[in-house]
Amino acid sequence: MTDYSHYAATQHPAVALSIPDLETRTTGREPADIRLWLRMLSCCTLIENEVRSRLRSEFQTTLPRFDLMSQLTHAPKGLKMSELSRLMMVTNGNVTGITDQLEKDGLVERMKDDGDRRSSLIRLTMKGRRYHRRMQRAHETWIQSLLGGLAPAARNTLFDLLGDLKQATYSRLPAA
Amino acid sequence: MTDYSHYAATQHPAVALSIPDLETRTTGREPADIRLWLRMLSCCTLIENEVRSRLRSEFQTTLPRFDLMSQLTHAPKGLKMSELSRLMMVTNGNVTGITDQLEKDGLVERMKDDGDRRSSLIRLTMKGRRYHRRMQRAHETWIQSLLGGLAPAARNTLFDLLGDLKQATYSRLPAA
DNA sequence: TATTGTTATACTCTATAACTATA
DNA sequence: TATAGTTATAGAGTATAACAATA
């Protein structure tokens, strides 16, 4: 049993702002799941668009590139392509492409020192580590600014509920 | 003041499944906002990947195309390109491209009957309406299946919290 | 002058599938 | 046979900016 009672009601207008976006197409007559999905999707799209835009204008890079580097920061010894693929939720070929670009820019390197000679370990170079650190600091600031309007208690409840949702969804995937 | 007390704790394992995904890179030492964002993003990516894949395999179409048609279903008189752009949260040029494809397939049509001769109204054709209805039914089933593991009370709370988040985020966008 | 929509350009990401070299 | 990674292919979305027609 999980207790969400630490969450206290937030103070906000009774009527949500009517902002035209992906959720607008709902009329209220749709199943609750559809409305929930479209609302969550518009939240994500809103933030993602903003982050993509700032990564481009301030760091001349993209979200997948930043994500790949972020995954590597917690693996000093490096990660295999297949591990990156699973972590980033994209296919193997895509990871090869993104890695190629980052390698060309000297931000990551392929290490051929595994016991298994089919695979290689990808890891950040020094330059990559420095570059990522700068981006990460900015990224944290952006996210905190964008999500900062939500009260801490609400944020905690949301975090827990999304954890439940994620677990439930995973278990309902056809593959799973 | 909003009351979320209708939400009752869900029953689930105390320890969340350790699934490797976008959220995995968090260590617990990141700011709460970052962890929340990555968790929400992995929820969305999970569902989006699944929906994209099924739209492709079962209906030979894409998510943006389905989204554009969905927007039109609630506007019998049609929508302007600029309205679609805002609703779909993408740029004007993109909407032109997606509309071109749908028009070529006879699913939407451009109507030049506005007072403003610069703009046109896009609306679903009969064929488009029928086609969309089939997709929408399937889409509802998919989403209900994917989100169905979450208890109704949890789902309601999540819906409300995401509403708060969306509103807060909108008001914190640089443009806003 | 500003706005609506289109076009042109160039790039990034994407899935799929065939391929290689290992295991 | 199975797996790790690459390559080839094709396509789909994206931003940006220049453009024409109209307001």
Side-chain angles (χ1 to χ4, degrees), chain A residues 2 4 7 9-10 12 19-23 25 31 33 36 39 42 44 49 54 67 70 74 86-87 89 144-147 149 155 158-159 161 163-164 166 169-170 172 174, chain B residues 2 4 7 9-10 12 19-23 25 31 33 36 39 42 44 49-50 54 67 70 74 86-87 89 144-147 149 155 158-159 161 163-164 166 169-170 172 174:
Chain A
T2 299
Y4 292 125
Y7 175 69
T10 46
H12 66 82
I19 302 153
D21 66 14
L22 293 165
E23 190 188 340
R25 72 178 192 237
D33 288 322
L36 172 56
R39 178 169 286 189
S42 47
C44 272
N49 282 352
R54 296 196 199 179
D67 284 345
S70 298
H74 296 128
R86 196 176 61 249
L87 289 166
M89 304 165 89
Q144 286 178 333
S145 159
L146 290 170
L147 305 193
R155 190 178 54 199
L158 187 51
F159 184 74
L161 285 170
D164 291 350
K166 188 163 136 183
T169 303
Y170 259 111
R172 284 161 165 265
Chain B
T2 300
Y4 292 123
Y7 175 68
T10 45
H12 66 81
I19 302 154
D21 65 15
L22 293 165
E23 190 189 339
R25 73 178 191 237
D33 288 323
L36 172 56
R39 177 168 287 187
S42 46
C44 273
N49 282 353
E50 193 61 29
R54 296 196 200 179
D67 284 344
S70 297
H74 297 130
R86 196 175 61 249
L87 288 166
M89 307 165 88
Q144 286 178 333
S145 159
L146 289 169
L147 305 193
R155 191 178 53 199
L158 187 52
F159 184 75
L161 285 170
D164 290 350
K166 188 164 136 182
T169 303
Y170 258 112
R172 284 160 166 264

Coordinates of all heavy atoms in Angstrom, one line a residue, chain A residues 2 4 7 9-10 12 19-23 25 31 33 36 39 42 44 49 54 67 70 74 86-87 89 144-147 149 155 158-159 161 163-164 166 169-170 172 174, chain B residues 2 4 7 9-10 12 19-23 25 31 33 36 39 42 44 49-50 54 67 70 74 86-87 89 144-147 149 155 158-159 161 163-164 166 169-170 172 174:
Chain A
T2 N 0.5 2.1 -0.9 CA 1.3 3.4 -0.9 C 0.4 4.5 -0.4 O -0.8 4.6 -0.7 CB 1.7 3.8 -2.3 OG1 2.5 2.7 -2.8 CG2 2.4 5.1 -2.3
Y4 N -0.5 8.3 -0.2 CA -0.3 9.6 -0.9 C -0.8 10.8 -0.1 O -1.0 11.9 -0.6 CB -1.0 9.7 -2.3 CG -0.3 8.7 -3.3 CD1 -1.0 7.7 -3.9 CD2 1.1 8.8 -3.5 CE1 -0.4 6.9 -4.8 CE2 1.7 8.0 -4.4 CZ 0.9 7.0 -5.1 OH 1.5 6.2 -6.0
Y7 N 0.1 14.5 0.3 CA -0.3 15.5 -0.7 C -1.4 16.4 -0.2 O -2.5 15.9 0.2 CB -0.7 14.9 -2.0 CG -1.2 16.0 -3.0 CD1 -0.3 16.9 -3.5 CD2 -2.5 16.1 -3.3 CE1 -0.7 17.9 -4.3 CE2 -2.9 17.1 -4.1 CZ -2.0 18.0 -4.6 OH -2.4 19.0 -5.5
A9 N -4.0 19.7 -0.9 CA -4.6 20.4 -2.1 C -3.8 21.7 -2.4 O -3.4 22.4 -1.5 CB -6.0 20.8 -1.8
T10 N -3.6 22.0 -3.7 CA -3.0 23.2 -4.1 C -4.0 24.3 -4.3 O -5.2 24.0 -4.4 CB -2.3 23.0 -5.4 OG1 -3.2 22.3 -6.3 CG2 -1.0 22.2 -5.3
H12 N -5.3 27.1 -6.6 CA -5.3 27.6 -8.0 C -6.7 27.9 -8.4 O -7.7 27.4 -7.8 CB -4.7 26.6 -8.9 CG -5.4 25.3 -9.0 ND1 -6.5 25.1 -9.9 CD2 -5.3 24.1 -8.4 CE1 -7.0 23.9 -9.8 NE2 -6.3 23.3 -8.8
I19 N -6.3 26.8 -23.0 CA -5.2 27.0 -23.9 C -5.3 26.1 -25.0 O -5.6 24.9 -24.8 CB -3.9 26.7 -23.1 CG1 -3.8 27.6 -21.9 CG2 -2.7 26.8 -24.0 CD1 -2.9 26.9 -20.8
P20 N -5.3 26.6 -26.2 CA -5.4 25.7 -27.4 C -4.2 24.8 -27.6 O -3.1 25.3 -27.8 CB -5.6 26.6 -28.6 CG -5.0 27.9 -28.1 CD -5.0 28.0 -26.6
D21 N -4.4 23.5 -27.5 CA -3.3 22.6 -27.7 C -3.9 21.2 -28.0 O -5.0 21.0 -28.3 CB -2.4 22.5 -26.4 CG -3.1 22.0 -25.2 OD1 -4.2 21.4 -25.4 OD2 -2.5 22.2 -24.1
L22 N -3.0 20.2 -27.8 CA -3.4 18.8 -28.2 C -4.7 18.3 -27.4 O -5.4 17.5 -27.9 CB -2.3 17.9 -27.9 CG -1.0 18.0 -28.8 CD1 0.2 17.3 -28.2 CD2 -1.3 17.5 -30.2
E23 N -4.8 18.9 -26.2 CA -5.9 18.4 -25.4 C -7.3 19.1 -25.8 O -8.3 18.6 -25.4 CB -5.6 18.7 -23.9 CG -6.6 18.1 -22.9 CD -6.4 18.6 -21.5 OE1 -5.3 19.1 -21.2 OE2 -7.3 18.4 -20.7
R25 N -9.0 19.1 -28.3 CA -10.0 18.3 -29.1 C -10.9 17.5 -28.2 O -11.9 16.9 -28.7 CB -9.3 17.4 -30.1 CG -8.5 16.2 -29.5 CD -7.9 15.5 -30.7 NE -7.5 14.2 -30.4 CZ -6.2 13.8 -30.6 NH1 -5.3 14.6 -31.1 NH2 -5.8 12.5 -30.3
P31 N -13.7 8.9 -23.1 CA -13.3 8.1 -21.9 C -12.2 8.8 -21.2 O -11.4 9.6 -21.7 CB -12.7 6.8 -22.6 CG -13.3 6.7 -23.9 CD -13.5 8.1 -24.4
D33 N -9.6 7.8 -19.8 CA -8.2 7.5 -20.2 C -7.7 8.4 -21.4 O -6.6 8.7 -21.4 CB -8.1 6.0 -20.6 CG -8.2 5.1 -19.4 OD1 -7.7 5.5 -18.3 OD2 -8.9 4.1 -19.5
L36 N -7.0 11.8 -20.1 CA -5.7 11.8 -19.3 C -4.5 11.7 -20.2 O -3.5 12.5 -20.1 CB -5.7 10.6 -18.4 CG -4.5 10.2 -17.6 CD1 -4.0 11.4 -16.8 CD2 -4.7 9.0 -16.7
R39 N -3.9 15.0 -22.1 CA -3.4 16.0 -21.2 C -1.9 15.8 -20.8 O -1.1 16.7 -20.8 CB -4.2 16.1 -19.9 CG -3.7 17.1 -18.9 CD -4.7 17.3 -17.7 NE -5.9 18.1 -18.2 CZ -6.8 18.6 -17.3 NH1 -6.7 18.3 -16.0 NH2 -7.8 19.3 -17.8
S42 N 0.2 16.7 -23.8 CA 0.4 18.1 -24.1 C 1.4 18.7 -23.1 O 2.2 19.6 -23.4 CB -0.9 18.9 -24.2 OG -1.8 18.6 -23.1
C44 N 3.9 17.1 -21.8 CA 5.2 16.7 -22.3 C 5.7 17.4 -23.5 O 6.8 17.9 -23.6 CB 5.2 15.2 -22.6 SG 5.6 14.1 -21.2
N49 N 9.2 20.7 -26.4 CA 9.4 21.8 -27.4 C 10.4 22.9 -26.9 O 11.3 23.3 -27.6 CB 8.1 22.4 -27.8 CG 7.3 21.5 -28.8 OD1 7.9 20.5 -29.3 ND2 6.1 21.9 -29.1
R54 N 15.8 25.4 -26.8 CA 16.9 26.0 -26.0 C 18.2 25.2 -26.3 O 19.2 25.8 -26.3 CB 16.5 26.1 -24.5 CG 15.3 27.0 -24.3 CD 15.3 27.3 -22.8 NE 13.9 27.8 -22.5 CZ 13.6 28.2 -21.3 NH1 14.4 28.1 -20.3 NH2 12.3 28.6 -21.0
D67 N 20.4 13.5 -24.5 CA 20.0 12.3 -23.8 C 21.1 11.2 -23.8 O 21.3 10.6 -22.8 CB 18.7 11.8 -24.4 CG 17.5 12.6 -24.0 OD1 17.6 13.4 -23.0 OD2 16.4 12.5 -24.6
S70 N 23.7 12.2 -21.5 CA 23.2 12.1 -20.1 C 23.3 10.6 -19.6 O 23.7 10.4 -18.4 CB 21.8 12.6 -20.0 OG 21.7 13.9 -20.3
H74 N 26.5 8.6 -16.1 CA 26.4 7.7 -15.0 C 27.1 6.3 -15.2 O 26.9 5.4 -14.5 CB 24.9 7.5 -14.6 CG 24.3 8.7 -14.1 ND1 23.1 9.2 -14.6 CD2 24.7 9.7 -13.3 CE1 22.8 10.4 -14.1 NE2 23.8 10.7 -13.2
R86 N 18.3 0.5 -25.4 CA 17.2 0.2 -24.5 C 16.9 1.4 -23.6 O 15.7 1.8 -23.4 CB 17.5 -1.0 -23.6 CG 16.4 -1.7 -22.9 CD 16.8 -2.9 -22.2 NE 17.8 -2.7 -21.2 CZ 19.0 -3.1 -21.2 NH1 19.5 -3.8 -22.3 NH2 19.9 -2.8 -20.3
L87 N 17.9 2.0 -23.1 CA 17.8 3.1 -22.2 C 17.1 4.3 -22.9 O 16.2 5.0 -22.3 CB 19.1 3.6 -21.6 CG 19.8 2.7 -20.6 CD1 21.3 3.1 -20.4 CD2 19.1 2.7 -19.3
M89 N 15.2 4.1 -25.5 CA 13.9 3.7 -26.1 C 13.8 4.0 -27.6 O 12.8 4.4 -28.1 CB 12.7 4.4 -25.3 CG 12.7 4.2 -23.8 SD 11.7 5.3 -22.8 CE 10.1 4.4 -22.8
Q144 N 13.5 23.3 -13.7 CA 13.0 23.9 -12.5 C 12.2 25.1 -12.7 O 11.2 25.3 -12.0 CB 14.2 24.2 -11.6 CG 14.8 22.9 -11.0 CD 16.0 23.2 -10.1 OE1 16.7 24.2 -10.3 NE2 16.3 22.3 -9.2
S145 N 12.5 25.9 -13.7 CA 11.8 27.0 -14.0 C 10.4 26.7 -14.5 O 9.4 27.2 -14.1 CB 12.5 27.9 -14.9 OG 11.6 28.8 -15.6
L146 N 10.4 25.7 -15.4 CA 9.1 25.3 -16.1 C 8.2 24.5 -15.1 O 7.0 24.7 -15.2 CB 9.4 24.4 -17.3 CG 10.1 25.1 -18.5 CD1 10.5 24.1 -19.5 CD2 9.1 26.1 -19.1
L147 N 8.7 23.7 -14.2 CA 7.9 22.9 -13.3 C 7.7 23.6 -12.0 O 6.9 23.1 -11.1 CB 8.5 21.5 -13.1 CG 8.8 20.6 -14.3 CD1 9.0 19.2 -13.9 CD2 7.6 20.7 -15.3
G149 N 6.2 25.9 -10.8 CA 4.9 26.5 -10.4 C 4.0 25.5 -9.6 O 3.0 25.8 -9.0
R155 N 3.8 18.0 -6.5 CA 4.9 17.4 -7.3 C 5.2 16.0 -6.8 O 5.4 15.0 -7.6 CB 6.1 18.3 -7.2 CG 7.2 17.9 -8.2 CD 8.3 18.9 -8.0 NE 8.8 19.0 -6.6 CZ 9.5 20.0 -6.1 NH1 9.8 21.0 -6.8 NH2 9.9 19.9 -4.9
L158 N 2.4 13.6 -7.8 CA 2.5 13.4 -9.3 C 3.6 12.4 -9.6 O 3.4 11.5 -10.4 CB 2.7 14.8 -10.0 CG 2.7 14.8 -11.5 CD1 1.4 14.2 -12.0 CD2 2.8 16.3 -11.9
F159 N 4.7 12.6 -8.9 CA 5.8 11.7 -9.2 C 5.4 10.2 -8.8 O 5.7 9.3 -9.6 CB 7.0 12.1 -8.3 CG 8.3 11.3 -8.5 CD1 9.0 11.5 -9.6 CD2 8.7 10.4 -7.5 CE1 10.2 10.8 -9.8 CE2 9.8 9.7 -7.7 CZ 10.6 9.9 -8.9
L161 N 2.4 8.9 -8.6 CA 1.3 8.4 -9.5 C 1.9 8.1 -10.9 O 1.5 7.1 -11.5 CB 0.2 9.5 -9.7 CG -0.7 9.7 -8.5 CD1 -1.6 10.9 -8.7 CD2 -1.6 8.4 -8.3
G163 N 4.8 7.0 -11.4 CA 5.5 5.7 -11.1 C 4.5 4.6 -11.3 O 4.8 3.6 -11.9
D164 N 3.4 4.7 -10.7 CA 2.3 3.7 -10.8 C 1.9 3.5 -12.2 O 1.8 2.4 -12.7 CB 1.1 4.1 -10.0 CG 1.3 4.0 -8.5 OD1 2.4 3.5 -8.1 OD2 0.4 4.5 -7.7
K166 N 3.5 4.2 -14.9 CA 4.6 3.6 -15.7 C 4.7 2.1 -15.6 O 4.8 1.3 -16.5 CB 5.9 4.3 -15.3 CG 7.1 3.9 -16.2 CD 8.2 4.9 -16.0 CE 9.5 4.2 -15.8 NZ 10.6 5.2 -15.5
T169 N 1.6 0.5 -17.1 CA 1.7 0.5 -18.6 C 2.7 -0.5 -19.1 O 2.4 -1.3 -20.1 CB 2.1 1.9 -19.1 OG1 1.1 2.8 -18.6 CG2 2.1 1.9 -20.6
Y170 N 3.8 -0.6 -18.5 CA 4.9 -1.6 -18.9 C 4.3 -3.0 -18.9 O 4.5 -3.8 -19.8 CB 6.1 -1.5 -18.0 CG 7.2 -0.8 -18.5 CD1 7.6 0.4 -18.0 CD2 7.9 -1.3 -19.6 CE1 8.7 1.1 -18.5 CE2 9.0 -0.6 -20.2 CZ 9.4 0.6 -19.6 OH 10.4 1.3 -20.1
R172 N 1.4 -3.9 -19.3 CA 0.3 -4.1 -20.3 C 0.8 -4.0 -21.7 O 0.0 -4.1 -22.7 CB -0.8 -3.0 -20.0 CG -1.6 -3.4 -18.8 CD -2.3 -2.3 -18.2 NE -3.4 -2.8 -17.3 CZ -4.6 -3.1 -17.7 NH1 -5.0 -2.8 -18.9 NH2 -5.5 -3.5 -16.8
P174 N 2.1 -5.3 -25.2 CA 2.0 -6.6 -25.8 C 3.2 -7.4 -25.7 O 3.2 -8.6 -25.4 CB 1.7 -6.2 -27.3 CG 1.2 -4.8 -27.2 CD 1.8 -4.2 -26.1
Chain B
T2 N -8.5 23.3 -4.6 CA -9.0 22.1 -5.2 C -8.8 20.9 -4.2 O -7.8 20.9 -3.5 CB -8.1 21.8 -6.5 OG1 -8.3 22.8 -7.4 CG2 -8.6 20.5 -7.1
Y4 N -8.3 17.1 -3.6 CA -7.9 15.8 -4.3 C -8.2 14.6 -3.4 O -7.7 13.6 -3.6 CB -6.4 15.8 -4.6 CG -6.1 16.8 -5.7 CD1 -5.2 17.8 -5.6 CD2 -6.8 16.7 -7.0 CE1 -4.9 18.7 -6.6 CE2 -6.5 17.6 -8.0 CZ -5.5 18.6 -7.8 OH -5.3 19.4 -8.8
Y7 N -9.0 10.9 -4.0 CA -8.0 9.9 -4.4 C -7.6 9.0 -3.2 O -7.2 9.5 -2.1 CB -6.7 10.6 -4.9 CG -5.7 9.6 -5.2 CD1 -5.8 8.7 -6.2 CD2 -4.6 9.4 -4.3 CE1 -4.9 7.7 -6.4 CE2 -3.6 8.5 -4.6 CZ -3.8 7.6 -5.6 OH -2.9 6.6 -5.9
A9 N -5.3 5.7 -1.8 CA -4.1 5.0 -2.2 C -4.3 3.8 -3.0 O -5.2 3.0 -2.8 CB -3.3 4.7 -0.9
T10 N -3.4 3.5 -3.9 CA -3.5 2.3 -4.7 C -2.7 1.2 -4.1 O -1.8 1.5 -3.3 CB -2.9 2.6 -6.1 OG1 -1.6 3.3 -6.0 CG2 -3.8 3.4 -7.0
H12 N 0.0 -1.5 -4.7 CA 1.0 -2.0 -5.6 C 2.3 -2.2 -4.8 O 2.5 -1.8 -3.7 CB 1.3 -0.9 -6.7 CG 1.9 0.4 -6.1 ND1 3.2 0.5 -5.9 CD2 1.3 1.5 -5.8 CE1 3.4 1.7 -5.4 NE2 2.3 2.4 -5.3
I19 N 13.0 -0.7 -14.5 CA 12.9 -0.9 -16.0 C 13.9 0.1 -16.6 O 13.9 1.3 -16.3 CB 11.5 -0.6 -16.5 CG1 10.5 -1.5 -15.8 CG2 11.4 -0.7 -18.0 CD1 9.1 -0.9 -15.7
P20 N 14.8 -0.4 -17.4 CA 15.8 0.6 -18.0 C 15.1 1.5 -19.0 O 14.6 1.0 -20.0 CB 16.8 -0.4 -18.6 CG 16.1 -1.7 -18.8 CD 14.9 -1.7 -17.9
D21 N 15.1 2.8 -18.8 CA 14.6 3.7 -19.7 C 15.1 5.1 -19.5 O 16.2 5.2 -18.9 CB 13.0 3.7 -19.7 CG 12.5 4.2 -18.3 OD1 13.3 4.8 -17.6 OD2 11.3 4.0 -18.0
L22 N 14.5 6.1 -20.0 CA 15.0 7.5 -19.9 C 15.2 7.9 -18.5 O 16.0 8.7 -18.2 CB 14.0 8.4 -20.6 CG 13.9 8.2 -22.1 CD1 12.6 9.0 -22.6 CD2 15.1 8.8 -22.8
E23 N 14.4 7.3 -17.6 CA 14.5 7.8 -16.2 C 15.6 7.1 -15.4 O 16.1 7.6 -14.4 CB 13.1 7.4 -15.4 CG 13.0 8.0 -14.1 CD 11.8 7.4 -13.3 OE1 10.9 6.9 -13.9 OE2 11.8 7.6 -12.1
R25 N 18.7 7.2 -15.7 CA 19.9 7.9 -15.5 C 19.8 8.8 -14.2 O 20.8 9.3 -13.8 CB 20.2 8.9 -16.7 CG 19.3 10.1 -16.8 CD 19.8 10.9 -18.0 NE 19.2 12.2 -18.1 CZ 18.5 12.6 -19.2 NH1 18.3 11.8 -20.2 NH2 18.0 13.8 -19.3
P31 N 17.6 17.2 -8.6 CA 16.5 17.9 -8.1 C 15.2 17.2 -8.4 O 15.1 16.5 -9.4 CB 16.5 19.2 -8.9 CG 17.9 19.4 -9.3 CD 18.4 18.0 -9.5
D33 N 12.5 18.1 -9.5 CA 11.8 18.5 -10.8 C 12.4 17.7 -11.9 O 11.7 17.3 -12.9 CB 12.0 20.0 -11.1 CG 11.2 20.8 -10.2 OD1 10.0 20.4 -9.9 OD2 11.6 21.9 -9.7
L36 N 11.0 14.2 -11.7 CA 9.6 14.2 -12.2 C 9.5 14.3 -13.7 O 8.8 13.6 -14.4 CB 8.9 15.4 -11.5 CG 7.5 15.7 -12.0 CD1 6.6 14.5 -11.9 CD2 6.9 16.9 -11.3
R39 N 10.6 11.0 -15.5 CA 9.6 10.0 -15.3 C 8.4 10.3 -16.2 O 7.8 9.3 -16.8 CB 9.1 9.9 -13.8 CG 8.1 8.9 -13.6 CD 7.8 8.6 -12.1 NE 8.9 7.8 -11.5 CZ 8.9 7.3 -10.3 NH1 7.9 7.5 -9.5 NH2 9.9 6.6 -9.8
S42 N 9.3 9.5 -19.7 CA 9.4 8.0 -20.1 C 8.0 7.4 -20.2 O 7.7 6.6 -21.1 CB 10.3 7.2 -19.2 OG 10.1 7.5 -17.9
C44 N 5.3 9.0 -21.3 CA 4.8 9.5 -22.6 C 5.5 8.8 -23.7 O 4.8 8.3 -24.7 CB 5.1 11.0 -22.7 SG 3.7 12.0 -22.1
N49 N 5.4 5.6 -28.4 CA 6.0 4.6 -29.3 C 5.0 3.5 -29.6 O 5.0 3.0 -30.8 CB 7.2 3.9 -28.5 CG 8.5 4.8 -28.6 OD1 8.5 5.9 -29.2 ND2 9.5 4.4 -27.8
E50 N 4.2 3.1 -28.6 CA 3.3 2.0 -28.9 C 2.2 2.5 -29.9 O 1.8 1.7 -30.8 CB 2.6 1.6 -27.5 CG 1.9 0.3 -27.5 CD 2.7 -0.9 -27.9 OE1 3.9 -0.9 -27.6 OE2 2.1 -1.8 -28.5
R54 N 1.5 1.1 -33.7 CA 0.2 0.5 -34.1 C -0.5 1.2 -35.2 O -1.2 0.7 -36.1 CB -0.8 0.4 -32.9 CG -0.2 -0.6 -31.9 CD -1.2 -1.0 -30.9 NE -0.6 -1.5 -29.6 CZ -1.3 -1.9 -28.6 NH1 -2.6 -1.9 -28.6 NH2 -0.7 -2.3 -27.5
D67 N -3.4 13.0 -35.5 CA -3.7 14.1 -34.6 C -4.4 15.3 -35.4 O -5.3 15.9 -34.9 CB -2.4 14.7 -34.0 CG -1.9 13.8 -32.9 OD1 -2.7 13.0 -32.4 OD2 -0.7 13.9 -32.5
S70 N -7.9 14.3 -36.0 CA -8.6 14.4 -34.7 C -9.0 15.8 -34.4 O -10.1 16.1 -33.9 CB -7.8 13.8 -33.6 OG -7.5 12.5 -33.8
H74 N -13.7 17.9 -34.5 CA -14.5 18.8 -33.7 C -14.8 20.1 -34.3 O -15.3 21.0 -33.7 CB -13.9 18.9 -32.3 CG -13.8 17.6 -31.6 ND1 -12.7 17.1 -31.0 CD2 -14.8 16.6 -31.4 CE1 -13.0 15.9 -30.5 NE2 -14.2 15.6 -30.7
R86 N -1.4 25.9 -34.1 CA -1.4 26.2 -32.7 C -1.8 25.0 -31.9 O -1.3 24.6 -30.9 CB -2.2 27.4 -32.4 CG -2.0 28.0 -31.0 CD -2.8 29.3 -30.8 NE -4.3 29.1 -30.9 CZ -5.0 29.5 -31.9 NH1 -4.5 30.2 -32.9 NH2 -6.3 29.2 -31.9
L87 N -2.9 24.4 -32.4 CA -3.5 23.2 -31.7 C -2.5 22.1 -31.6 O -2.4 21.4 -30.6 CB -4.8 22.8 -32.4 CG -6.0 23.7 -32.2 CD1 -7.1 23.3 -33.2 CD2 -6.5 23.6 -30.8
M89 N 0.7 22.3 -31.9 CA 2.0 22.7 -31.3 C 3.1 22.4 -32.2 O 4.2 22.0 -31.8 CB 2.2 21.9 -29.9 CG 1.0 22.1 -29.0 SD 1.0 21.0 -27.6 CE 2.0 21.9 -26.3
Q144 N -7.0 2.8 -23.5 CA -7.7 2.2 -22.3 C -6.9 1.0 -21.9 O -6.8 0.7 -20.7 CB -9.1 1.9 -22.7 CG -10.0 3.1 -22.7 CD -11.4 2.9 -23.1 OE1 -11.7 1.9 -23.8 NE2 -12.3 3.8 -22.7
S145 N -6.4 0.2 -22.8 CA -5.7 -1.0 -22.4 C -4.3 -0.6 -21.8 O -4.0 -1.2 -20.7 CB -5.4 -1.8 -23.7 OG -4.3 -2.7 -23.5
L146 N -3.7 0.4 -22.3 CA -2.4 0.8 -21.8 C -2.5 1.5 -20.4 O -1.6 1.3 -19.5 CB -1.6 1.7 -22.8 CG -1.1 1.0 -24.0 CD1 -0.7 2.0 -25.1 CD2 0.0 0.0 -23.7
L147 N -3.5 2.3 -20.2 CA -3.6 3.1 -19.0 C -4.5 2.4 -18.0 O -4.7 2.8 -16.8 CB -4.2 4.5 -19.2 CG -3.5 5.4 -20.2 CD1 -4.1 6.8 -20.1 CD2 -2.0 5.4 -20.0
G149 N -4.4 -0.1 -16.1 CA -3.9 -0.6 -14.9 C -3.9 0.3 -13.7 O -3.7 -0.1 -12.6
R155 N -6.2 7.7 -11.3 CA -6.3 8.4 -12.6 C -6.9 9.8 -12.5 O -6.4 10.7 -13.2 CB -7.2 7.5 -13.5 CG -7.2 7.9 -15.0 CD -8.0 6.9 -15.8 NE -9.3 6.8 -15.2 CZ -10.2 5.8 -15.4 NH1 -9.8 4.8 -16.1 NH2 -11.4 5.8 -14.9
L158 N -4.4 12.1 -11.0 CA -3.3 12.4 -12.0 C -3.8 13.4 -13.0 O -3.1 14.3 -13.3 CB -3.0 11.0 -12.6 CG -1.8 11.0 -13.6 CD1 -0.5 11.6 -12.9 CD2 -1.5 9.6 -14.1
F159 N -5.0 13.2 -13.4 CA -5.6 14.1 -14.4 C -5.6 15.6 -13.8 O -5.2 16.5 -14.5 CB -7.0 13.7 -14.7 CG -7.7 14.5 -15.8 CD1 -7.3 14.4 -17.1 CD2 -8.7 15.4 -15.5 CE1 -7.9 15.1 -18.1 CE2 -9.3 16.2 -16.4 CZ -8.9 16.0 -17.8
L161 N -3.8 16.8 -11.3 CA -2.4 17.3 -11.1 C -1.8 17.7 -12.4 O -1.1 18.7 -12.5 CB -1.6 16.2 -10.4 CG -1.9 16.0 -8.9 CD1 -1.2 14.7 -8.4 CD2 -1.5 17.2 -8.1
G163 N -3.3 18.8 -14.9 CA -3.9 20.1 -15.2 C -3.2 21.3 -14.5 O -3.0 22.3 -15.2
D164 N -2.9 21.1 -13.3 CA -2.2 22.1 -12.5 C -0.8 22.3 -13.2 O -0.4 23.5 -13.4 CB -2.0 21.7 -11.1 CG -3.3 21.7 -10.3 OD1 -4.3 22.2 -10.8 OD2 -3.3 21.1 -9.1
K166 N 0.2 21.8 -16.2 CA 0.1 22.4 -17.5 C -0.1 23.9 -17.4 O 0.5 24.7 -18.1 CB -1.1 21.7 -18.3 CG -1.2 22.1 -19.7 CD -2.1 21.1 -20.4 CE -3.0 21.8 -21.3 NZ -3.9 20.9 -22.0
T169 N 3.0 25.5 -16.1 CA 4.1 25.5 -17.1 C 3.8 26.6 -18.1 O 4.7 27.3 -18.5 CB 4.3 24.2 -17.7 OG1 4.5 23.2 -16.7 CG2 5.4 24.2 -18.7
Y170 N 2.6 26.6 -18.6 CA 2.2 27.6 -19.6 C 2.6 29.0 -19.1 O 3.2 29.9 -19.8 CB 0.7 27.6 -19.9 CG 0.4 26.9 -21.2 CD1 -0.2 25.7 -21.2 CD2 0.8 27.4 -22.4 CE1 -0.5 25.0 -22.4 CE2 0.5 26.7 -23.6 CZ -0.1 25.5 -23.6 OH -0.4 24.9 -24.7
R172 N 4.8 29.9 -17.2 CA 6.2 30.1 -17.0 C 7.0 30.1 -18.3 O 8.2 30.1 -18.3 CB 6.7 29.1 -16.0 CG 6.3 29.4 -14.6 CD 6.4 28.3 -13.7 NE 6.4 28.7 -12.3 CZ 7.4 29.0 -11.6 NH1 8.6 28.7 -12.1 NH2 7.3 29.4 -10.4
P174 N 8.7 31.5 -21.5 CA 9.3 32.8 -21.8 C 8.3 33.7 -22.6 O 8.2 34.9 -22.4 CB 10.6 32.5 -22.6 CG 10.9 31.1 -22.2 CD 9.6 30.4 -21.9

